[in-house]
Amino acid sequence: MTIRLRLFIFIPLLVLLMSFVSYFLFESSRSAQESYHLFMNRILLYKQVSRESKEVMQDLNRYVIQVSAESYPDLVFHLNSLHHLQDELYRLEKNETNAIAIGNYINLMGTFMEQAWNMAEDTETQEPKSKASAYLQADQLSRFISEEGQAMVDLELENYRPLYEKLMKITEDMNRLGVYLVITVALLSILFSLWLSSSISRPILQLVLTAKQISRGNLDTKAPELQTGNEIGILCRTFNHMIDNIQELMVKNLESLKKERMVKELELKMLQSQINPHFLFNTLNVIAKMAYIEGAEKTSDLTVSVSRLLRYNLQKLDHPVTLREEVFHAEEYMAIQKERFGDRIRFITEIDEEALGWWTPCLTLQPLLENAIVHGIEHLEEGAVLRLSIRRKEDRACIEVADNGAGMDPEIRDRLIRSAREDVQHPFSGKGKSSGLGTANVFKRLHLFYDGSQTIEIRSGIGEGTTVRLTFPSSARAEETEWRCHGV
């Protein structure tokens, strides 16, 4: 359950509980107020009837006895008021105790009002003696009304007393229950607040402690794995995932540093293998010119080829080159080997011009050709064939270096394949002659250069020759990207 959902559920729940308690207390108070209001209305009604009957008598005295015509509207007004009060008495809720008394009281009011109306209407025709007698009867009825009203008040008080005691007991119980409910809701609110704050603050505190451990360099620590679907659980899992990513990046950085160190070592070995190459390059140029002057054109051409190979090594080894440059360099190398072996080796090239636009590390083809000669066909007296094939296959460049020589042992072939990704001892260590870079070194440099997106295959068998197939990815096309070498 998410924290947001918890808040949406529990906070309205607490509000509802508080509202229920408030409504409960309000209903308890309202019930008591209604009972008290009903009782007071009945008392006030009796009092008002007594007061109106006295007002009627005063108006009758002025109108009938004192013969004041101005008091007639007041008399009519108070009689009508008394009539309305009689109607309210009819509508009062009655029980077995007060039903008869209220009925007699209403009849007494009716007799009084009838007597008063008769006196008001017959005041001009009645004799003074009759008027006085009628007035005395009406006054006596008014006193009866007042006395009966007081008796009705006493009766209502008597009837209301048990109800009042019961109401007070209920009110006391309700108040006590209300206090309990308020305390219960307050405790629930406190417990919920503690639970919610603890469920949020404790994991966050653990995250803070974990972050402090990471800031000190301790990446082996982990945030608590909360098996919940709320935001804190997601944050903990994301935090741990971030730690895993940091560890993976550190491993990759270490691998990258290892690769850079390996490249530097290769460069150092290469430099150590060069014995004053600039001096040698200048010396070869001098020898080539002297041979040409003396008429030894073949010796001059051979010296020029060696000079070009040396220039290529000096100027290109620390930069990527295109396959076109590698093919030109390989042809120069094979021209020298042709002079060495003569007709014993036949060099065949199958070059697709569309496949020469791929970037590759410098000295990729020459070590493969040299390896094929030294370990494959050098011992053959005749019929040796070395074939270099470069073609484009869809969006990749495919290179094959094949010979019909002695072949290689399956174990050595597997070690060569693994050497691209692992620190494997050179399979041909101590055998024959090589350029110092070697086939295994070429494979490793290709793996670093293409970041593992190249493919390397070796098909070979004892006495069946060897074919090395390389496939370069489309991302290394010189027409599409400006490749940057990182010391490969």
Side-chain angles (χ1 to χ4, degrees):
M1 182 183 298
T2 63
I3 297 175
R4 185 179 182 183
L5 184 59
R6 290 181 187 176
L7 294 176
F8 277 153
I9 290 176
F10 291 108
I11 290 180
L13 184 61
L14 289 177
V15 172
L16 288 175
L17 286 174
M18 292 298 295
S19 300
F20 170 74
V21 172
S22 301
Y23 179 75
F24 177 80
L25 296 176
F26 169 75
E27 280 295 316
S28 175
S29 175
R30 189 173 66 87
S31 176
Q33 290 177 358
E34 287 181 353
S35 300
Y36 180 75
H37 180 68
L38 181 61
F39 169 73
M40 289 302 298
N41 281 341
R42 297 168 78 101
I43 299 299
L44 292 175
L45 183 59
Y46 298 137
K47 293 294 185 182
Q48 193 172 359
V49 169
S50 299
R51 186 171 59 252
E52 289 295 332
S53 65
K54 291 178 181 180
E55 292 290 338
V56 169
M57 288 306 300
Q58 291 177 3
D59 292 334
L60 279 174
N61 182 36
R62 288 194 298 271
Y63 179 66
V64 175
I65 305 301
Q66 299 177 12
V67 192
S68 175
E70 296 177 355
S71 61
Y72 181 77
D74 293 336
L75 176 61
V76 173
F77 173 76
H78 288 295
L79 283 172
N80 288 332
S81 297
L82 200 58
H83 180 71
H84 289 309
L85 292 174
Q86 186 184 32
D87 291 338
E88 290 185 20
L89 286 172
Y90 274 118
R91 292 192 294 270
L92 283 180
E93 185 179 352
K94 305 174 182 64
N95 53 38
E96 296 178 356
T97 305
N98 61 10
I100 297 176
I102 292 175
N104 294 334
Y105 191 65
I106 292 173
N107 293 332
L108 182 61
M109 289 177 62
T111 303
F112 173 74
M113 287 186 294
E114 184 180 358
Q115 183 73 20
W117 278 116
N118 289 337
M119 288 181 65
E121 292 174 357
D122 299 338
T123 183
E124 295 180 359
T125 59
Q126 285 183 340
E127 296 179 358
K129 188 176 183 178
S130 299
K131 288 181 182 180
S133 177
Y135 180 80
L136 290 175
Q137 291 179 2
D139 185 57
Q140 187 176 9
L141 288 173
S142 175
R143 288 193 180 97
F144 286 160
I145 288 175
S146 297
E147 292 174 358
E148 285 296 322
Q150 185 60 42
M152 293 299 297
V153 170
D154 295 338
L155 181 62
E156 290 293 338
L157 288 172
E158 191 67 25
N159 291 333
Y160 185 73
R161 182 177 179 181
L163 179 62
Y164 174 77
E165 293 176 352
K166 181 180 179 182
L167 185 61
M168 290 302 295
K169 186 178 183 304
I170 293 174
T171 302
E172 185 180 353
D173 294 339
M174 292 298 181
N175 292 335
R176 188 183 301 110
L177 182 59
V179 172
Y180 293 155
L181 287 175
V182 169
I183 295 174
T184 302
V185 172
L187 289 176
L188 288 175
S189 302
I190 294 172
L191 290 176
F192 166 70
S193 300
L194 292 175
W195 170 72
L196 183 61
S197 61
S198 176
S199 64
I200 296 174
S201 61
R202 187 186 302 113
I204 291 178
L205 179 60
Q206 292 176 338
L207 280 176
V208 170
L209 294 176
T210 304
K212 288 182 178 179
Q213 291 292 328
I214 294 175
S215 66
R216 297 188 184 102
N218 182 15
L219 294 179
D220 294 332
T221 184
K222 289 286 185 179
E225 289 286 350
L226 301 179
Q227 301 301 323
T228 58
N230 59 21
E231 292 85 347
I232 301 299
I234 296 174
L235 180 62
C236 291
R237 289 192 291 273
T238 305
F239 194 83
N240 288 335
H241 184 64
M242 181 186 68
I243 295 175
D244 295 337
N245 289 339
I246 292 175
Q247 291 176 339
E248 291 178 3
L249 287 175
M250 291 188 64
V251 172
K252 290 182 179 179
N253 288 336
L254 290 176
E255 292 179 353
S256 178
L257 291 174
K258 183 178 179 181
K259 292 176 182 179
E260 291 180 3
R261 181 174 57 81
M262 186 183 303
V263 170
K264 296 299 181 181
E265 290 177 355
L266 290 175
E267 291 178 352
L268 180 60
K269 291 179 180 180
M270 179 187 66
L271 292 174
Q272 290 175 345
S273 65
Q274 297 174 356
I275 305 174
N276 204 356
H278 289 285
F279 171 77
L280 180 61
F281 170 71
N282 294 331
T283 302
L284 287 174
N285 282 336
V286 172
I287 294 174
K289 290 179 180 178
M290 290 182 63
Y292 182 78
I293 293 173
E294 294 175 355
E297 296 183 0
K298 183 174 292 187
T299 302
S300 176
D301 292 340
L302 183 61
T303 306
V304 168
S305 296
V306 174
S307 176
R308 287 174 179 172
L309 289 179
L310 183 59
R311 182 190 297 272
Y312 185 81
N313 290 347
L314 289 176
Q315 295 181 356
K316 301 288 186 177
L317 194 59
D318 59 344
H319 295 284
V321 297
T322 61
L323 282 176
R324 186 181 305 279
E325 295 177 85
E326 276 293 292
V327 169
F328 179 78
H329 174 70
E331 289 176 344
E332 291 284 354
Y333 173 75
M334 289 308 300
I336 296 174
Q337 296 300 331
K338 285 283 289 182
E339 293 297 328
R340 174 187 174 189
F341 292 100
D343 295 335
R344 288 173 54 192
I345 296 179
R346 187 159 58 97
F347 181 55
I348 301 174
T349 57
E350 299 174 357
I351 307 299
D352 181 2
E353 288 293 327
E354 294 184 358
L356 297 181
W358 261 256
W359 292 111
T360 185
C362 182
L363 288 182
T364 296
L365 298 181
Q366 178 193 328
L368 298 180
L369 296 173
E370 182 178 357
N371 185 74
I373 293 174
V374 173
H375 300 285
I377 59 178
E378 186 178 29
H379 67 283
L380 297 178
E381 295 296 331
E382 60 182 11
V385 177
L386 181 58
R387 181 170 58 86
L388 172 63
S389 174
I390 301 178
R391 66 183 185 278
R392 178 174 178 173
K393 187 175 182 181
E394 296 179 354
D395 58 345
R396 300 171 75 88
C398 297
I399 299 98
E400 285 189 2
V401 176
D403 66 76
N404 62 344
M408 69 174 64
D409 186 84
E411 182 181 355
I412 296 179
R413 179 191 61 197
D414 295 338
R415 291 180 64 187
L416 276 174
I417 295 296
R418 294 201 314 274
S419 66
R421 299 179 300 273
E422 304 173 6
D423 293 331
V424 180
Q425 185 181 1
H426 198 296
F428 300 143
S429 179
K431 296 182 180 181
K433 300 175 182 179
S434 70
S435 65
L437 294 175
T439 305
N441 199 306
V442 171
F443 290 169
K444 188 176 292 293
R445 288 193 300 130
L446 288 175
H447 182 76
L448 296 175
F449 187 84
Y450 295 113
D451 198 19
S453 59
Q454 86 296 335
T455 59
I456 301 173
E457 301 177 29
I458 300 178
R459 296 198 304 270
S460 182
I462 301 300
E464 298 178 359
T466 302
T467 299
V468 177
R469 175 178 294 176
L470 309 176
T471 305
F472 297 161
S474 59
S475 59
R477 289 186 60 185
E479 293 85 352
E480 297 181 1
T481 179
E482 181 180 353
W483 197 271
R484 294 185 179 181
C485 179
H486 301 283
V488 177

